Amino acid sequence: MAYSLLAISGSLRKDSYNTALIRAWKKFAPEDVTVEIVDQEDIRVFPPYDGDVETANYPSVATALKERIRKADGLLIATPEYNRSVPGVLKNLLDWTTRPYGDNPYSGKPVFVMGASSGPIGTALAQYDLKKILLYFNARVLGQPEFYCGVATEKFDETGNLTDEKTKEYIAHGFTEFTAFIDTLR
C-alpha cells in the first residue's frame, strides 16, 4: 500500500534542526511512502490570525494548505520548543487552517509529532502542547513511539544532513509504526 504524507516544520529558521529532521524523514522514507514538505516560505506568509480578517478576506495560503492536509494520508509535524511550548508561527498556522469554525482538515487525520533541539529533552514540552491542540482538533495523534531528537547539534552535520545512525533507526521504526497506524484508520 502507498502512503502520501505531508510534513510541516514549525520553524522558520533557515538552519532549523526541525526542518533538517523533516528532510531526513523524506530522505529515508520507505519506497511506498512519499513525503511532501510544506515550504517554510508558505508558512512565513500567513498573516497573524485575526477573526475580522477571517470573515472579510480569508487568506488563500490557508485555503491551499487545508487542501494539501485533506489530500494527505497523514501528517508529520516537527516542532521546535520556544519558552516550553510550540512556536507562535506553528500555532498561527494551526489557528488559520482550522477556521472558519467547522472547516477542520485535521479531524480524523493521522499525525506523527516529533521535534529536534540542541538541548537534551528534544522538545518534549512543545510536543505535549502540540498533541493537546491536535487532539482538540480531533486529529488521530500516534501516541507511541514518541520521537525526541535531543542534542541535535551532534546528530546533523553543518549542512543539515542527518549523520546519527541511531536516529536513522528511529526514523525507520517511526515509519513502520506510523504507516501501520494509518492502516488501522483507513
Side-chain angles (χ1 to χ4, degrees):
M1 185 167 294
Y3 306 89
S4 174
L5 305 180
L6 184 64
I8 300 169
S9 169
S11 176
L12 296 178
R13 195 169 61 82
K14 180 179 155 245
D15 296 325
S16 162
Y17 288 117
N18 286 281
T19 303
L21 182 60
I22 288 291
R23 285 194 311 264
W25 275 72
K26 180 175 179 148
K27 180 178 181 178
F28 298 111
E31 216 173 86
D32 61 343
V33 177
T34 58
V35 176
E36 177 188 354
I37 299 173
V38 175
D39 190 278
Q40 289 169 300
E41 290 307 310
D42 290 343
I43 297 170
R44 188 180 303 280
V45 298
F46 272 82
Y49 177 74
D50 179 338
D52 292 335
V53 173
E54 172 193 333
T55 55
N57 190 17
Y58 192 82
S60 59
V61 66
T63 300
L65 183 54
K66 285 168 77 161
E67 287 310 308
R68 292 170 73 189
I69 292 167
R70 282 189 176 95
K71 289 179 182 176
D73 295 319
L75 302 175
L76 303 172
I77 303 178
T79 183
E81 186 168 295
Y82 296 169
N83 297 317
R84 301 289 191 230
S85 191
V86 297
V89 68
L90 179 57
K91 180 66 167 74
N92 189 54
L93 177 148
L94 294 169
D95 289 342
W96 271 116
T97 55
T98 56
R99 305 307 299 170
Y101 180 78
D103 186 13
N104 172 9
Y106 301 95
S107 185
K109 186 66 61 178
V111 182
F112 192 109
V113 172
M114 65 189 77
S117 170
S118 57
I121 63 169
T123 75
L125 296 173
Q127 287 188 45
Y128 175 74
D129 284 348
L130 179 56
K131 289 174 183 179
K132 287 189 307 184
I133 294 165
L134 291 165
L135 289 169
Y136 174 74
F137 296 159
N138 200 36
R140 302 300 186 245
V141 179
L142 181 63
Q144 294 292 325
E146 293 179 311
F147 196 101
Y148 305 108
C149 184
V151 195
T153 53
E154 297 175 7
K155 296 176 180 169
F156 294 88
D157 67 17
E158 62 280 346
T159 59
N161 294 305
L162 181 63
T163 57
D164 183 68
E165 293 304 317
K166 195 69 172 164
T167 303
K168 291 176 187 178
E169 290 174 23
Y170 291 142
I171 289 173
H173 179 65
F175 272 121
T176 300
E177 294 298 316
F178 191 49
T179 54
F181 180 64
I182 291 170
D183 288 343
T184 66
L185 300 172
R186 286 186 168 175

